[in-house]
């Protein structure tokens, strides 16, 4: 055995050397053709000059691409060159591939795994080296049922859960009662939903629960509105609308405010009455209404929400029984605190409209509904813009009621107070002064928490974060803090709560699909279970729904802000793990979420995965849990041990290979938060395991320990890999050979996922040896249950969760046994072996020694004509920036063919693709590298340390000035020398994206920490200096880019130009660009 193992290692080493030689070698082949000479003597000097000029121009235009390709593209080589290339084998080229035999312990490029899914295409099946394509441990989890409830009680019933609306409030129920505010001077300037005319709007402050401040600057209507949301209790909230100023140039001093309530899901409310309480004085007009210090009541709504029994009891059939929940809302008007001299305050008597809207398009298009009603009201002789006091067509049965109040733009303040449930008999509205005190209190609490949680390190920064100008330190710090507050608040205030199901096409290769009785032929469309989702959204105006790929980055910010809120969202997402392990990537839940989206996008595909970015916040929670365990171990150790091991809250961490292990001193969790995290990990582990097995099974490649995205598409001359999240990032260009591709970004995600699962298992063992944190008393739990029962009219079931750390380990072992993994310790070893293998094969297959970075593997087809079309479209879409042409010129046919010969690309070759961009960073970002030796770091003896150092140095070459991905504004998504730079959609082909820049900054911080404290003048010391400079330069660039755009535009953008630093595409973008808050605060 030992001899065989030694032979295997020797053969494997030889083959790796050949692969590295292949990656780094460059063979330049070309022929010189004699130019034909003209026999004519007339105009020879002119012709020569023109030819020289033309050649010089072509060389100038295409030289960067040629140099780039010659330097970095691997050569396919020929038989006899001493290197066993992708398509060569021991049979076709014995001189080069004699040692490439099955059973040598290394799954080479010429070998594939065994199984029905293997596509050899000239390569040999080798089960000894490559294993089976569908491994047993990837399929057994499908039989394990998951039936536990989510491990928490929902903390907040009411919230700003209607992201699409400028100011939308609703409750967490399958049939929610929703509230919103709109405004407009006339029918052509109505504002209700984001994107209908207001460009500067957003949440300036929001705590994620019971307080928010939203502003909207609408110059066309002469308004600068401040809208406050204040949750008073589970059954009571307040909305304050305040006009801060009036644009002097506006022609009218009157505008209409529209307060609207609606019932979704085909349900309705029974309005006892809509009382207009504000009337003109006897014989006078509304302009003579006297408004005192405490204001006057304008209107009152009262009635019952009619809800089906099925909303409360899972076994009940909807429609047979209903429940009536009383509610009441009171609207009060008072003068603005900014200007108490404004008179008159109201133009005419308020009007209302109540009806049952059957058409979903009209129900969710409140703006269009108001237009129709006011137009019809005007035709009936009512005043322009009034709703006409209409209550029809079905008495006592409405799902929409709208109240209009015509007010002065000079300044006003309106409070709408809402209450429902059992508190109504004794409920009394708060006075305006009490509401003001409550707002001041919540705002102060938010500001303090922002400083303590996110900006505690920022307080020590100077103006060098922004620029070198003297005298700007105070203003720079203020704009950074304002940007961070806006980023955090827009994320928290835009979180949605939706219910629904997803239409999808099952994966015909899924064991679940194959196991269905009577299943034959191709799969038919199916629906998932109807489930709720509490999630952040990328953009309120364009993407007001949850996205799996985006949410992991959103929750990195949420977890820093509030652990319970983070776990709340994580638990909702984990409920969406299907029996096969798939999670839908885009959540079209409910009819409103599908508005404005083509129907073809509603159907998703079970075979198409998405990056498992959800493991990023889970990894962060694990790091904090480990800090908590370390702290408790320190506290329980002897007094002598305490003197050496006590390092403050959460500073001490294990020296594993965790993604979150950086120099950031993660605070330990409170007792309550520790319980929440532990219960979540215990509950979610079977789901995470099922998801992990799904990814390994469905996205596997013929090469062991490497993976590829399924769902590659080629439409209208454009290649997409939507599943990867990096939609148009250039990969292989031969549509017929997509199955031959290997993707380094997905392989890195799988590595991170396996590492997180290993850490969860390890945490269960560590916690099992410790005492349990103090738990809630029975009295406290009973009080919590009663609060929820009062709110919704029924008592929720208490979730079955682990009650102690030892139970945590028992439940994990049960899940592992159900999935065929054995004990927790066995699973840890399995994940360690898998991670090590992925690291080894990532190096062998994706690492290009010439570039000292990672690239995808694929096939290049004939792309010249497609590129020509892309450039025409790109120039049509992209204006010149600062006098520069952003889109590079397209090579001519002869230039392209010459380049193809120079770089050695052939249409049939499976080769490393010379596209340097975001995917090149992924092993570095996910720490898919040999583990660091604390004593020697990157200069440790052995092959692993040398390789890790080479990767770090190669990454720095890309990021530093002059590198392929460096720009003054952040890390660009694709090298500016790449032929596809800014081509066609220009989405992931050059612009700067905040999520990848955040990961890059975090990885640099990790390496700075690992190389710190080395001897002056050593290799590690020099590398440490480079890392510090790269980290500082990148952070400064990102902060400067985003905050300056925010200062001018008052908004965040989806992406930023690597040429000018200007914001691009969607705005405001409340998604992962909000990570700038963590970058400003250096809480990575």
């Amino acid at each position: 055995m030992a001899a065989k193992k030694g032979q295997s290692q020797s053969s494997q080493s030889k083959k790796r050397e050949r692969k590295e030689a292949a990656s780094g070698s460059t063979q330049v082949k070309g022929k010189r053709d004699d130019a034909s000479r003209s026999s004519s003597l007339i105009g020879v000097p002119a012709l020569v000059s023109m030819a020289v000029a033309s050649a010089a121009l072509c060389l100038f235009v295409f030289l960067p691409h040629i140099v780039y390709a010659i330097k970095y593209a691997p050569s396919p080589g020929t038989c006899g060159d001493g290197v066993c290339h992708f398509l060569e084998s021991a049979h076709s080229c014995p001189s080069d591939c004699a040692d490439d035999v099955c059973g040598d312990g290394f799954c080479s490029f010429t070998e594939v795994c065994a199984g029905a899914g293997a596509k050899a295409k000239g390569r040999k099946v080798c089960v000894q080296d490559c294993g089976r394509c569908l491994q047993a441990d990837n399929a057994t989890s499908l039989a394990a049922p998951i039936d536990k409830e989510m491990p928490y009680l929902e903390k907040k019933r009411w919230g700003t859960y209607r992201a699409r609306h400028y100011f939308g409030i609703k409750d967490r129920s399958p049939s929610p009662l929703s509230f919103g505010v709109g405004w407009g001077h006339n029918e052509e300037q109505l504002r209700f939903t984001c994107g209908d005319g207001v460009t500067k709007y957003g949440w300036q402050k929001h705590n994620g629960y019971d307080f928010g401040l939203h502003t909207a600057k609408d110059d066309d209507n002469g308004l600068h509105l401040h809208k406050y949301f204040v949750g008073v209790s589970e059954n009571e909230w307040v909305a304050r609308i305040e006009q801060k100023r009036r644009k002097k140039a506006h022609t009218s001093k009157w505008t209409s405010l529209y307060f609207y309530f609606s019932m979704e899901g085909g349900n309705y409310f029974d309005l006892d009455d809509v009382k207009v309480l504000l009337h003109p004085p006897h014989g006078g007009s509304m302009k003579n209404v006297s408004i005192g210090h405490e204001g006057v009541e304008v209107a009152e709504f009262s009635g019952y929400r009619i809800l089906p029994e099925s909303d409360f009891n899972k076994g009940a059939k909807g429609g047979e029984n209903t429940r009536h929940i009383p509610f009441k809302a009171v609207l009060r008007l008072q003068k603005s605190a900014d200007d108490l001299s404004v008179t008159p305050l109201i133009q005419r008597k308020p009007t209302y409209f109540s009806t049952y809207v059957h058409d979903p398009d009209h129900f969710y298009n409140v703006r269009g509904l108001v237009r129709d009603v006011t137009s019809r009201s005007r035709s009936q002789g009512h005043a322009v813009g009034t709703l006409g006091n209409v209550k029809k067509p079905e008495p006592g049965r409405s799902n929409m009621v709208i109240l209009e109040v015509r007010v002065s733009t000079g300044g006003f303040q309106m409070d709408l107070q809402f209450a429902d449930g059992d508190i109504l008999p004794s409920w009394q509205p708060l006075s305006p002064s009490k509401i003001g005190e409550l707002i001041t209190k919540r705002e102060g609490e938010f500001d303090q928490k922002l400083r303590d949680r996110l900006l505690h390190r920022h307080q020590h920064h100077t103006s060098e974060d922004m620029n070198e100008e003297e005298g700007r330190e105070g203003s720079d710090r203020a704009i950074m803090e304002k940007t961070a507050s806006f980023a955090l608040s827009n994320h928290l205030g835009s979180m949605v709560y939706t219910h629904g199901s997803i239409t999808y096409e099952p994966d015909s290769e899924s064991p679940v699909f194959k196991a269905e009785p009577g299943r034959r032929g191709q799969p038919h469309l199916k629906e998932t279970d109807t489930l709720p989702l509490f999630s952040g959204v990328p953009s309120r105006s364009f993407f007001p729904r949850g996205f799996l790929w985006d949410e992991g980055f959103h929750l990195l910010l949420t977890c820093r802000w509030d652990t319970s809120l983070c776990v709340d969202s994580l638990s909702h997402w984990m409920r969406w793990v299907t029996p096969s392990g798939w999670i839908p990537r885009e959540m079209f839940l409910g009819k409103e979420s599908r508005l404005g989206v083509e129907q073809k996008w509603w159907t998703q595909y079970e075979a198409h995965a998405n990056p498992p970015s959800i493991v990023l916040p889970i990894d962060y929670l694990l790091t904090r849990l480990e800090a908590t365990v370390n702290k408790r171990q320190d506290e329980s150790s002897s007094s002598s041990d305490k003197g050496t091991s006590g390092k403050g809250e959460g500073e001490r961490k294990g020296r594993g290979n965790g993604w979150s292990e950086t120099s950031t001193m993660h605070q330990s969790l409170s007792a309550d938060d520790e319980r929440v995290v532990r219960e979540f990990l215990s509950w979610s582990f079977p789901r995470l395991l099922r998801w992990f097995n799904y990814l390994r099974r469905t996205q596997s490649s013929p090469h062991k320990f490497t993976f590829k995205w399924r769902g590659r598409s080629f439409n209208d001359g454009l290649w997409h890999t939507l599943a990867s999240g990096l939609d148009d990032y250039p990969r292989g260009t031969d549509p017929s050979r997509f199955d031959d591709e290997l993707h380094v970004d997905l392989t890195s995600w799988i590595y991170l996922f396996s590492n997180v699962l290993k850490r969860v298992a390890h945490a269960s063992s560590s916690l099992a040896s410790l005492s349990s944190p103090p738990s809630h008393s029975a009295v406290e739990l009973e009080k919590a249950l009663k609060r929820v029962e009062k709110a919704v009219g029924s008592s929720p079931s208490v979730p079955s969760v682990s009650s102690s750390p030892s139970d945590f380990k028992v439940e994990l072992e049960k899940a592992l046994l159900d999935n065929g993994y054995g004990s927790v310790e066995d699973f840890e070893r399995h994940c360690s072996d898998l991670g090590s293998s992925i690291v080894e094969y990532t190096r062998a297959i994706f690492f290009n020694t010439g570039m000292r970075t990672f690239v995808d593997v694929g096939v290049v087809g004939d792309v010249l004509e497609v590129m020509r079309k892309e450039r025409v479209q790109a120039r049509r879409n992209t204006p010149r920036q600062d006098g520069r042409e952003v889109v590079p010129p397209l090579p001519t046919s002869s230039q392209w063919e010459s380049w193809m010969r120079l770089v050695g690309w052939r249409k049939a070759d499976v080769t490393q693709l010379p596209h340097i961009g975001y995917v090149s960073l992924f092993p570095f970002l996910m720490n898919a590298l040999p583990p660091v030796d604390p004593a020697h770091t990157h200069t440790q003896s052995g092959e692993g340390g040398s390789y890790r150092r080479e990767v770090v140095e190669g990454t720095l070459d890309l990021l530093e000035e002059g590198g392929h991905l460096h720009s003054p504004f952040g890390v660009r998504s694709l090298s500016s020398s790449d032929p596809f730079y800014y081509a066609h959609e220009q989405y992931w082909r050059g612009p700067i994206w905040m999520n990848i820049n955040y990961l890059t900054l975090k990885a640099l911080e990790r390496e700075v920490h690992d190389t710190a404290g080395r001897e002056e003048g050593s290799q590690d010391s020099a590398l440490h200096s480079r890392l510090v400079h790269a980290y500082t330069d990148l952070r400064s660039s990102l902060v400067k880019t985003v905050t300056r755009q925010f200062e001018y535009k008052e908004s965040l953008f989806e992406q930023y130009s690597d040429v000018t630093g200007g914001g691009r595409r969607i705005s405001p973008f409340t998604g992962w660009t909000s990570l700038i808050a963590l970058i400003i605060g250096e809480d990575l």
Side-chain angles (χ1 to χ4, degrees):
M1 287 293 293
K4 184 175 181 181
K5 183 177 180 181
Q7 290 175 358
S8 174
Q9 290 177 344
S10 175
S11 176
Q12 181 175 335
S13 177
K14 290 179 181 179
K15 292 168 72 174
R16 183 180 297 114
E17 291 174 1
R18 293 200 304 267
K19 303 307 178 291
E20 292 176 355
S23 299
S25 64
T26 302
Q27 297 183 3
V28 180
K29 301 178 181 179
K31 295 182 179 180
R32 293 185 178 181
D33 297 323
D34 293 333
S36 60
R37 302 172 181 263
S38 174
S39 60
S40 175
L41 299 178
I42 302 176
V44 170
L47 290 175
V48 171
S49 299
M50 291 175 60
V52 171
S54 177
L57 179 61
C58 292
L59 185 63
F60 174 78
V61 167
F62 202 53
L63 182 60
H65 299 308
I66 295 177
V67 172
Y68 170 83
I70 293 176
K71 183 177 181 181
Y72 297 123
S75 169
T78 57
C79 184
D81 62 4
V83 178
C84 186
H85 296 280
F86 281 94
L87 295 183
E88 295 177 341
S89 65
H91 175 71
S92 64
C93 186
S95 61
D96 293 345
C97 303
D99 295 332
D100 186 19
V101 294
C102 183
D104 61 8
F106 186 78
C107 185
S108 70
F109 298 131
T110 67
E111 299 168 340
V112 296
C113 56
K119 297 183 179 180
K121 291 190 178 179
R123 288 164 284 179
K124 58 181 178 288
V125 174
C126 180
V127 68
Q128 296 98 315
D129 297 344
C130 303
R132 299 195 61 81
C133 298
L134 184 60
Q135 298 178 14
D137 64 345
N138 287 347
T140 52
S141 68
L142 301 171
I146 301 176
D147 53 8
K148 286 187 176 181
E149 296 291 337
M150 285 185 286
Y152 66 91
L153 294 173
E154 293 173 344
K155 291 186 63 175
K156 194 61 188 172
R157 178 175 162 233
W158 290 95
T160 56
Y161 302 136
R162 303 189 78 189
R164 183 170 165 266
H165 297 246
Y166 285 119
F167 191 72
I169 300 168
K170 73 175 184 180
D171 69 335
R172 294 186 173 195
S173 105
S175 307
L177 173 62
S178 303
F179 166 77
V181 176
W183 63 90
H185 166 61
N186 54 45
E187 296 170 22
E188 302 304 319
Q189 295 176 333
L190 296 175
R191 317 294 192 214
F192 285 91
T193 55
C194 301
D196 62 8
V198 182
T199 57
K200 295 181 179 180
Y201 63 91
W203 292 99
Q204 304 298 326
K205 299 181 180 182
H206 202 295
N207 66 5
Y209 289 108
D210 54 13
F211 171 74
L213 164 61
H214 187 277
T215 63
K217 295 181 180 179
D218 186 356
D219 291 337
D220 291 339
N221 280 302
L223 294 173
H224 182 187
L225 294 174
H226 282 211
K227 302 175 284 292
Y228 296 89
F229 165 72
V230 182
V232 181
S233 69
E234 288 296 316
N235 299 78
E236 181 182 4
W237 52 264
V238 177
R240 168 167 286 186
I241 316 300
E242 187 173 2
Q243 162 67 344
K244 286 294 186 180
R245 63 176 175 80
R246 174 175 175 263
K247 187 177 179 181
K248 295 181 180 180
H250 194 60
T251 57
S252 173
K253 64 177 182 179
W254 301 107
T255 195
S256 293
L257 289 185
Y258 299 93
F259 300 86
Y260 55 98
F261 286 92
S262 62
M263 281 287 291
E264 297 184 46
N267 297 289
Y268 60 96
F269 41 68
D270 186 350
L271 285 174
D272 283 347
D273 203 358
V274 179
K275 297 179 181 178
V276 176
L277 305 175
L278 189 58
H279 300 278
H282 183 68
S285 69
M286 291 299 295
K287 296 180 180 181
N288 298 324
V289 171
S290 175
I291 299 177
H293 179 69
E294 290 295 318
V296 295
E297 289 191 352
V298 176
E300 179 182 295
F301 305 84
S302 61
Y304 292 87
R305 298 172 62 186
I306 314 299
L307 297 175
E309 183 71 24
S310 58
D311 278 8
F312 302 93
N313 299 318
K314 293 181 179 179
K317 295 181 179 180
E320 294 184 359
N321 299 297
T322 58
R323 290 197 181 188
H324 293 57
I325 301 178
F327 72 90
K328 186 175 183 178
V330 176
L331 181 65
R332 178 181 290 272
L333 170 69
Q334 53 264 357
K335 294 182 178 180
S336 171
D338 287 352
D339 192 353
L340 299 175
S341 64
V342 175
T343 56
L345 211 56
I346 191 165
Q347 185 180 24
R348 58 175 179 253
K349 182 179 178 180
T351 57
Y352 68 89
F353 173 80
S354 175
T355 188
Y356 191 93
V357 183
H358 294 272
D359 186 351
D361 292 336
H362 280 80
F363 179 83
Y364 293 110
N365 183 11
V366 186
R367 182 187 187 190
L369 183 61
V370 169
R371 272 182 176 174
D372 294 344
V373 174
T374 54
S375 178
R376 189 163 58 248
S377 176
R378 185 172 63 253
S379 67
Q380 296 172 357
H382 295 284
V384 175
T386 63
L387 296 178
N389 291 342
V390 180
K391 187 177 181 180
K392 61 181 184 182
E394 302 175 36
R397 185 182 173 91
S398 300
N399 65 359
M400 178 73 70
V401 59
I402 307 171
L403 174 76
E404 181 225 20
V405 184
R406 192 78 171 173
V407 291
S408 168
T409 59
F412 59 82
Q413 186 173 284
M414 302 191 76
D415 295 331
L416 187 137
Q417 300 187 60
F418 175 91
D420 70 350
D422 296 342
I423 71 170
L424 275 183
S426 59
W427 178 67
Q428 290 294 327
L430 300 174
S431 66
S433 58
K434 289 291 184 183
I435 295 174
E437 293 173 4
L438 192 56
I439 289 174
T440 301
K441 179 175 180 292
R442 297 278 172 83
E443 192 168 3
E445 292 171 347
F446 170 84
D447 292 340
Q448 186 61 47
K449 186 175 181 179
L450 180 68
R451 289 190 291 268
D452 294 343
R453 293 290 177 90
L454 297 185
L455 301 180
H456 57 285
R457 297 181 68 181
H458 164 69
Q459 305 300 318
H460 306 291
H461 293 319
T462 65
S463 59
E464 66 185 16
D465 286 334
M466 289 283 290
N467 52 50
E468 294 75 28
E469 299 175 20
E470 295 184 3
R472 278 190 56 99
E473 181 173 349
S475 61
D476 288 344
R477 179 172 294 160
I479 193 62
M480 282 190 282
E481 292 178 355
K482 188 175 180 181
T483 304
S485 177
F486 182 87
L488 169 70
S489 300
N490 266 278
H491 162 57
L492 297 177
S494 301
M495 296 185 78
V496 296
Y497 197 89
T498 53
H499 283 76
S501 61
I502 296 295
T503 304
Y504 71 99
E505 180 180 299
D507 179 10
S508 59
E509 298 298 322
S510 166
V512 172
F513 176 81
K514 292 179 178 180
E516 291 183 3
R519 172 62 66 186
R520 292 181 181 179
Q522 293 300 314
H524 300 284
L525 297 184
K526 297 179 66 175
E527 291 283 328
T528 65
D529 293 337
T530 298
L531 295 170
L533 180 68
F534 177 50
S535 173
V537 302
S539 168
R540 296 171 63 193
S541 59
F542 206 80
F543 297 118
R545 53 191 173 274
F547 285 76
L548 178 61
W549 154 235
D550 299 60
E551 188 61 16
F553 295 96
H554 299 166
L555 288 172
L556 286 171
L557 181 57
T558 311
C559 287
R560 264 66 165 192
W561 179 253
D562 189 282
T563 302
S564 295
L565 193 68
C566 173
V567 171
D568 188 355
S569 182
L570 278 170
S571 299
H572 276 87
W573 274 100
M574 285 295 97
R575 278 194 70 179
W576 280 90
V577 178
T578 64
S580 69
W582 174 67
I583 302 179
R585 73 180 186 90
E586 188 170 357
M587 292 301 191
F588 295 106
L589 304 181
K591 295 179 180 178
E592 185 172 18
S593 68
R594 298 178 177 180
L595 295 178
V597 181
E598 292 183 66
Q599 190 170 353
K600 67 178 182 179
W601 297 110
W602 297 358
T603 300
Q604 300 186 49
Y605 301 89
E606 189 179 31
H608 298 178
N610 221 208
S613 63
I614 292 291
V615 300
L616 297 176
I618 293 176
D619 186 271
Y620 169 77
L621 293 175
L622 278 168
T623 300
R624 293 194 63 187
L625 187 62
E626 290 166 357
T628 305
V629 172
N630 290 335
K631 180 182 178 183
R632 196 174 304 148
Q633 287 174 340
D634 290 343
E635 292 173 348
S636 62
S637 62
S638 63
S639 58
S640 60
D641 291 337
K642 288 181 181 178
T644 59
S645 62
K647 297 186 179 182
E649 289 195 358
E651 182 179 355
R652 195 186 78 177
K653 297 189 291 292
R655 293 298 308 144
N657 211 31
W659 174 81
S660 284
E661 293 181 3
T662 67
S663 59
T664 303
M665 295 184 183
H666 297 289
Q667 293 184 350
S668 58
L669 297 164
S670 66
D672 287 342
D673 285 346
E674 180 189 347
R675 188 180 311 100
V676 168
V677 172
R678 192 185 69 244
E679 291 174 351
F680 165 73
L681 292 175
S682 174
W683 170 84
S684 65
F685 186 78
R687 292 165 171 80
L688 289 168
L689 198 57
R690 178 178 289 182
W691 187 18
F692 178 65
N693 288 339
Y694 158 84
L695 289 170
R696 291 182 63 188
R697 183 184 70 253
T698 63
Q699 312 301 303
S700 63
S701 76
H703 294 296
K704 194 175 181 181
F705 304 121
T706 61
F707 302 87
K708 64 181 180 183
W709 298 107
R710 290 178 67 180
R712 290 273 277 126
S713 62
F714 179 73
N715 297 309
D716 299 326
L718 180 65
W719 299 274
H720 271 139
T721 316
L722 298 179
S724 72
L726 310 177
D727 301 358
D728 64 338
Y729 185 91
R731 301 186 191 256
T733 55
D734 187 341
S736 66
R737 301 291 299 276
F738 284 164
D739 286 339
D740 290 318
E741 294 184 0
L742 305 175
H743 299 134
V744 65
D745 52 332
L746 176 56
T747 303
S748 302
W749 279 117
I750 298 295
Y751 171 84
L752 176 64
F753 206 152
S754 69
N755 196 44
V756 167
L757 289 175
K758 180 182 71 173
R759 295 179 69 200
V760 173
H762 182 74
S764 72
S765 300
S766 300
L767 286 168
S769 62
L770 300 174
S771 60
S772 175
S775 61
H776 286 298
S777 67
V779 176
E780 290 174 329
L781 182 58
E782 184 66 25
K783 287 181 179 179
L785 294 175
K786 286 183 177 179
R787 285 198 301 270
V788 178
E789 182 177 4
K790 283 185 178 181
V792 301
S794 66
S795 180
S797 59
V798 180
S800 173
V801 296
S802 58
S803 58
S804 70
S806 59
D807 291 339
F808 181 13
K809 184 175 182 180
V810 170
E811 292 182 4
L812 256 65
E813 285 188 330
K814 181 181 182 302
L816 291 172
L817 288 172
D818 288 341
N819 288 272
Y821 284 107
S823 67
V824 169
E825 290 73 18
D826 290 340
F827 181 70
E828 285 190 63
R829 285 192 292 271
H830 171 82
C831 289
S832 295
D833 292 343
L834 175 62
S836 299
S837 298
I838 289 177
V839 169
E840 179 182 355
Y841 279 79
T842 296
R843 177 186 185 183
I845 294 177
F846 298 114
F847 188 66
N848 186 294
T849 56
M851 294 183 282
R852 292 207 301 181
T853 191
F854 301 91
V855 291
D856 282 336
V857 168
V859 180
V860 178
D862 188 3
V863 298
L864 181 60
E865 186 59 31
V866 175
M867 287 182 63
R868 180 177 288 111
K869 294 179 180 178
E870 286 190 351
R871 296 304 165 88
V872 171
Q873 185 66 30
R875 286 201 174 85
R876 192 173 296 155
N877 295 339
T878 307
R880 295 171 68 89
Q881 298 182 13
D882 292 347
R884 289 185 57 186
E885 174 62 72
V886 176
V887 183
L890 182 74
T892 65
S893 298
S894 58
Q895 289 172 333
W896 176 259
E897 293 299 331
S898 299
W899 184 48
M900 292 285 284
R901 288 195 300 270
L902 285 170
V903 303
W905 274 3
R906 295 187 303 202
K907 295 178 184 178
D909 287 348
V910 178
T911 183
Q912 289 183 329
L913 303 173
H915 296 301
I916 301 179
Y918 279 167
V919 303
S920 305
L921 302 174
F922 264 85
F924 176 74
L925 303 183
M926 302 302 172
N927 205 13
L929 303 170
V932 172
D933 183 340
H936 301 289
T937 318
H938 300 85
T939 58
Q940 67 189 71
S941 59
E943 192 176 5
S946 175
Y947 164 60
R948 185 182 181 101
R949 183 184 185 88
E950 188 175 12
V951 170
V952 173
E953 290 179 339
T955 302
L956 289 174
D957 290 342
L958 299 180
L959 302 179
E960 291 172 337
E961 188 171 357
H964 282 281
L965 303 184
H966 177 272
S967 86
F969 311 102
V971 180
R972 58 168 55 100
S973 48
L974 187 65
S975 169
S976 57
S977 300
D978 195 285
F980 290 93
Y981 176 68
Y982 271 90
H984 209 281
E985 289 185 338
Q986 311 165 42
Y987 208 42
W988 294 87
R989 297 186 176 187
I992 295 165
W993 291 83
M994 197 55 57
N995 59 334
I996 305 300
N997 274 265
Y998 169 85
L999 293 179
T1000 304
L1001 202 61
K1002 182 174 180 61
L1004 288 171
E1005 185 193 48
R1006 179 194 70 224
E1007 298 302 319
V1008 167
H1009 177 253
D1010 288 339
T1011 56
R1014 305 305 173 188
E1015 184 179 348
E1016 185 92 16
S1018 65
Q1019 280 186 310
D1020 276 346
S1021 176
L1023 182 61
H1024 177 76
S1025 298
R1026 288 185 67 188
L1027 287 164
V1028 170
H1029 183 270
Y1031 171 86
T1032 305
D1033 180 68
L1034 177 57
R1035 179 182 173 275
S1036 176
S1037 297
L1038 294 172
V1039 170
K1040 195 182 304 182
T1041 298
V1042 177
T1043 53
R1044 283 182 172 173
Q1045 283 294 298
F1046 180 78
E1047 186 175 13
Y1048 302 143
K1049 304 286 187 177
E1050 299 183 34
S1051 187
L1052 302 179
F1053 290 83
E1054 182 181 16
Q1055 56 181 215
Y1056 293 84
S1057 169
D1058 60 320
V1059 178
T1060 67
R1064 289 172 48 91
R1065 292 188 175 260
I1066 299 170
S1067 173
F1069 192 80
T1070 58
W1072 51 42
T1073 305
S1074 60
L1075 289 170
I1076 191 64
L1078 298 181
I1079 295 173
I1080 289 174
E1082 283 198 282
D1083 187 2
L1084 306 179

